Amino acid sequence: MSEFWLISAPGDKENLQALERMNTVTSKSNLSYNTKFAIPDFKVGTLDSLVGLSDELGKLDTFAESLIKRMAQSVAEVMEDSKGKVQENLLANGVDLTSFVTHFEWDMAKYPAKQPLVGVVDTLAKQLAQIETDLKTRTAAYNTLKTTLENLEKKSMGNLFTRTLSDIVSKEDFVLDSEYLITLLVIVPKPNYTQWQKTYESLSDMVVPRSTKLIAEDNEGGLFTVTLFRKVIDDFKSKAKENKFTVREFYYDENEIKREREEMTRLMSDKKLQFQTSCVALKKGSSTFPDHKVKVTPLGHPDRLAAGQTDRERESEGEGEGPLLRWLKVNFSEAFIAWIHIKALRVFVESVLRYGLPVNFQAVLLKPHKKSSTKRLREVLNSVFRHLDEVAAASILDASVEIPGLQLNNQDYFPYVYFRIDLSLLD
């Protein structure tokens, strides 16, 4: 289970003995792994200030949990080609999260225990707020890039009637820079190939004989070129339509095609090389589209890649780690560490508020062995520490007991200080 319970009990002799009983029972029944959780002695201040901090820490705890969850999701998103390795990249101070929690030590350098609690909490709040601000900026840039790339990729999807043709055609397929002649692209259904070859020259006047060539095809038909005089374009289109031949509106602009290819290459490169772990070297001028349901095969251009070819079939160069992933890993670690420090602060503040002064309590970290054993573990804890709050403990052990004037959710209230650390939210 990726769940921990962080509890505390007063540090007097009676309660230390209760902790020993708890350890004995949970160990014999194989309910949980227990270890002491060290929390420094902080400057307490006034009880009023502690009450205020209790509320603030509750909100900060929720915010930190939400933030690290979002960061974990972002790591999974940018590692879309390596989702199985996401957990390997969610570390805290270089170790896995479970190890960090079970071996937690307060960072005195970053959060000095000698300064007032308010200052420690303020430092944590500012740190997390800055991480969130940076996360929003960086993920917004990533999402903009991803959306732009997806929009360009959509142009490559579909059949010959709808998809872009810039990665299929070449300069050699067209008569260019002619005052009188023009090359059109015509989509011909596969069953009508023979009919096209027999009739295209007679669809209108002034069609250049033997000017047709099949340059690409998909499952439904083929893309043919035909050259004719500009003055008969409208007549040719009309006659072609009558014979179920479709003229694709396309003008070969070498600069525009080059710009589109370079834009796609740049976006793919940015997404792969800057953000993802898999780095793909894209050949200059090559098709850069992903798998499609309809594969379009260029004909007569062996140097050009098919638009249906996948990135993995292209030339690749090892693996790397881009700046967004690096930033996410570093700052996820920082945010997670801050979150566990907030949990420690909550235990301290609640322990002082519940058990009083002078500060004297023992914090313990429990890791339930099985989800099915959590109910039994709670019963053991509530029984062992029921003396801390007899009335509340009775209501927990017996859900039928009502406490006059006190509204409690029996599932959420305990006679001891209790906080839950749930790592499953990062799975």
Side-chain angles (χ1 to χ4, degrees), residues 155-367:
K155 294 182 179 181
S156 69
M157 297 180 180
N159 54 32
L160 290 169
F161 290 91
T162 58
R163 58 160 292 126
T164 182
L165 302 179
S166 61
D167 62 315
I168 296 176
V169 300
S170 69
K171 185 176 181 180
E172 292 74 24
D173 297 325
F174 296 85
V175 174
L176 301 174
D177 303 321
S178 171
E179 182 180 352
Y180 302 104
L181 296 176
I182 187 171
T183 299
L184 300 182
L185 298 178
V186 183
I187 300 170
V188 179
K190 281 190 173 181
N192 298 5
Y193 278 11
T194 301
Q195 179 190 355
W196 166 259
Q197 292 286 357
K198 290 180 178 180
T199 63
Y200 80 91
E201 294 181 6
S202 60
L203 289 178
S204 73
D205 295 333
M206 300 184 174
V207 176
V208 177
R210 296 187 296 280
S211 63
T212 193
K213 179 175 62 174
L214 177 63
I215 61 173
E217 60 182 350
D218 59 18
N219 295 332
E220 299 174 10
L223 187 68
F224 288 80
T225 62
V226 61
T227 302
L228 42 84
F229 279 74
R230 292 179 181 271
K231 62 193 303 182
V232 298
I233 289 178
D234 291 339
D235 184 46
F236 182 88
K237 287 182 178 179
S238 177
K239 295 293 178 55
K241 185 176 181 181
E242 292 176 5
N243 287 271
K244 298 182 179 179
F245 307 139
T246 304
V247 177
R248 269 291 302 262
E249 297 295 336
F250 182 85
Y251 175 72
Y252 187 88
D253 184 330
E254 191 168 15
N255 291 331
E256 179 61 21
I257 290 176
K258 181 180 179 182
R259 186 203 64 77
E260 184 177 326
R261 287 177 176 172
E262 288 178 348
E263 176 70 359
M264 178 65 83
T265 301
R266 182 187 66 80
L267 290 170
M268 287 289 289
S269 180
D270 284 349
K271 187 167 181 274
K272 298 276 184 188
L273 300 179
Q274 295 186 31
F275 296 108
Q276 293 183 357
T277 53
S278 56
C279 297
V280 178
L282 301 172
K283 293 182 179 179
K284 185 176 180 181
S286 70
S287 172
T288 56
F289 303 109
D291 290 302
H292 309 307
K293 293 182 179 178
V294 181
K295 183 172 181 178
V296 178
T297 308
L299 304 177
H301 300 286
D303 58 318
R304 279 214 314 277
L305 292 169
Q309 192 174 19
T310 64
D311 289 334
R312 287 184 179 85
E313 292 168 334
R314 300 187 183 99
E315 183 181 1
S316 61
E317 291 185 350
E319 296 205 347
E321 191 173 285
L324 178 58
L325 181 59
R326 282 198 300 271
W327 183 91
L328 284 169
K329 289 172 64 174
V330 170
N331 286 274
F332 173 87
S333 174
E334 292 296 309
F336 185 86
I337 292 170
W339 184 43
I340 304 304
H341 279 75
I342 291 168
K343 292 289 188 184
L345 282 173
R346 294 195 73 185
V347 171
F348 180 88
V349 171
E350 296 303 323
S351 297
V352 174
L353 288 174
R354 183 171 296 195
Y355 308 138
L357 295 171
V359 177
N360 184 25
F361 68 89
Q362 176 61 58
V364 178
L365 183 74
L366 296 86
K367 187 179 189 300

Side-chain angles (χ1 to χ4, degrees), residues 52-112:
L53 279 177
S54 177
D55 293 338
E56 186 175 348
L57 283 168
K59 296 175 183 176
L60 192 57
D61 187 352
T62 301
F63 172 70
E65 181 177 317
S66 171
L67 178 60
I68 63 173
K69 183 177 181 179
R70 280 179 283 155
M71 297 184 78
Q73 291 170 342
S74 294
V75 170
E77 185 175 348
V78 299
M79 293 186 66
E80 59 187 1
D81 291 339
S82 309
K83 285 191 180 295
K85 297 183 179 181
V86 170
Q87 292 299 319
E88 298 174 14
N89 289 274
L90 298 180
L91 305 176
N93 210 19
V95 300
D96 66 88
L97 306 183
T98 295
S99 296
F100 180 83
V101 174
T102 52
H103 298 89
F104 173 79
E105 292 183 5
W106 187 271
D107 190 336
M108 291 291 186
K110 190 177 292 184
Y111 313 111

Side-chain angles (χ1 to χ4, degrees), residues 118-155:
V118 175
V120 177
V121 174
D122 185 59
T123 299
L124 286 162
K126 288 180 178 178
Q127 178 188 7
L128 292 173
Q130 184 60 54
I131 291 176
E132 185 195 37
T133 299
D134 292 346
L135 176 66
K136 287 180 178 179
T137 301
R138 291 171 182 268
T139 54
Y142 175 78
N143 289 332
T144 298
L145 170 64
K146 188 175 180 181
T147 300
T148 304
L149 183 57
E150 287 173 351
N151 289 336
L152 284 175
E153 287 175 341
K154 284 179 182 178
K155 294 182 179 181

